[in-house]
Amino acid sequence: MTMSARLLPGGPVAESILADVSDRVRVLRDKGVTPALATILVGDDDASAGYIRIKQRQAADLGFVSPHAHLPADSTQADLERVIAEFSTDPAVHGLLVQHPVPGHLDYDQALSVMDPDKDVDGMHPVNMGRLALGLPGPLPCTPAGIEAILAHYDIPVAGHEVVILGRGATLGRPLAMLLAQKRPTANAAVTVVHTGVKDWPRYTLRADILIAAAGVPGIIQPEHVRPGSTVIGGGVRYEGRRLLPDVDESCAEVAGAITPRVGGVGPTTVAMLFRNAVSAAERATS
């Protein structure tokens, strides 16, 4: 396959973000403050446990402490909410993460509402989604913020350009639309959100300066859906076991002007933004 598109890997973007986080952690520790990112895992899903280990290793590398609660798979809603409340009211804990998904009998959204929104490092608490909608300061959803960072890092023009997002999910499509429409040099775009329920959705993607796939449907974006020379960001993925299945087919690189790679695109920036939210929470709590 001949690849003509410029690749936009997330690794260098994440490294830049994490270098800034490390500097900010050092300032806090010099003041006698050790930033703490607490994690909660319910059950024994191998993938979820692996993600927690990755985040704990990254936390240690950056100078965070990372208290952890591992609840059994048969924990009740009250069990989960009690642990969230304990971390939320602990002044030594600055950020809090509940690993998703939780077992099917638990209500993740209800559990999230128990959390102190200022400690929500995922940026998904209803209060933080409201802050985003109103343009108020607060933790940003990590994947949308990571996508904006990729576009900014690689000098992809966004302001005044047409962004089309395929997917309207609460974790990516909808918050990303709000984020990129805000009046800021790295945003301020004309944003259109479409979804797979729109029969002629390719009509929209074909006019995009920047196309962002956020549907969670493997291979839904094919070369015939991409305007030649446009920027394509693969935000949506699905997993088959540990195998990553992206929304954007790799052959789109033959048409696009710039594109995120299948592996190592948006993922690294999502994790980096989680730690940016965490260090910001520590700074707010100790200022």
Side-chain angles (χ1 to χ4, degrees), residues 20-248:
D20 174 67
V21 169
S22 181
D23 289 343
R24 292 162 67 181
V25 169
R26 195 173 301 114
V27 170
L28 285 168
R29 293 181 72 108
D30 287 346
K31 294 178 180 178
V33 176
T34 301
L37 171 60
T39 56
I40 299 173
L41 174 66
V42 186
D44 298 298
D45 178 76
D46 285 344
S48 292
Y51 296 142
I52 288 290
R53 286 193 295 272
I54 289 168
K55 289 162 186 170
Q56 288 177 325
R57 283 198 298 269
Q58 185 69 76
D61 289 345
L62 291 168
F64 286 82
V65 294
S66 50
H68 178 64
H70 186 180
L71 303 181
D74 60 357
S75 295
T76 66
Q77 187 76 20
D79 292 333
L80 175 57
E81 292 181 9
R82 182 176 62 253
V83 174
I84 292 173
E86 288 171 358
F87 279 138
S88 284
T89 55
D90 185 346
V93 171
H94 305 111
L96 177 55
L97 164 72
V98 180
Q99 183 63 44
H100 187 269
V102 294
H105 67 282
L106 298 176
D107 187 333
Y108 175 80
D109 292 330
Q110 171 59 33
L112 199 64
S113 69
V114 176
M115 187 186 299
D116 178 347
D118 287 334
K119 295 188 178 185
D120 165 33
V121 296
D122 274 329
M124 295 306 301
H125 190 286
V127 168
N128 291 326
M129 295 296 280
R131 287 167 168 167
L132 173 60
L134 295 172
L136 299 175
L140 294 174
C142 295
T143 301
I147 288 173
E148 182 180 2
I150 287 173
L151 295 169
H153 181 89
Y154 290 108
D155 295 319
I156 304 295
V158 178
H161 288 73
E162 182 159 15
V163 173
V164 175
I165 302 169
L166 179 63
R168 57 181 170 180
T171 61
L172 181 50
R174 275 180 279 167
L176 179 60
M178 290 189 287
L179 190 64
L180 293 184
Q182 290 180 350
K183 194 171 184 180
R184 205 171 42 255
T186 54
N188 206 30
V191 182
T192 300
V193 178
V194 294
H195 51 83
T196 55
V198 177
K199 290 183 180 179
D200 60 346
W201 60 260
R203 176 166 67 90
Y204 297 89
T205 64
L206 281 167
R207 74 186 195 201
D209 298 313
I210 300 169
L211 170 59
I212 301 169
V217 179
I220 189 170
I221 299 294
Q222 296 290 325
E224 61 267 25
H225 305 136
V226 175
R227 182 173 67 77
S230 62
T231 296
V232 179
I233 306 290
V237 297
R238 195 171 279 182
Y239 284 88
E240 192 177 81
R242 285 185 173 267
R243 185 165 173 256
L244 183 147
L245 303 173
D247 283 6
V248 178

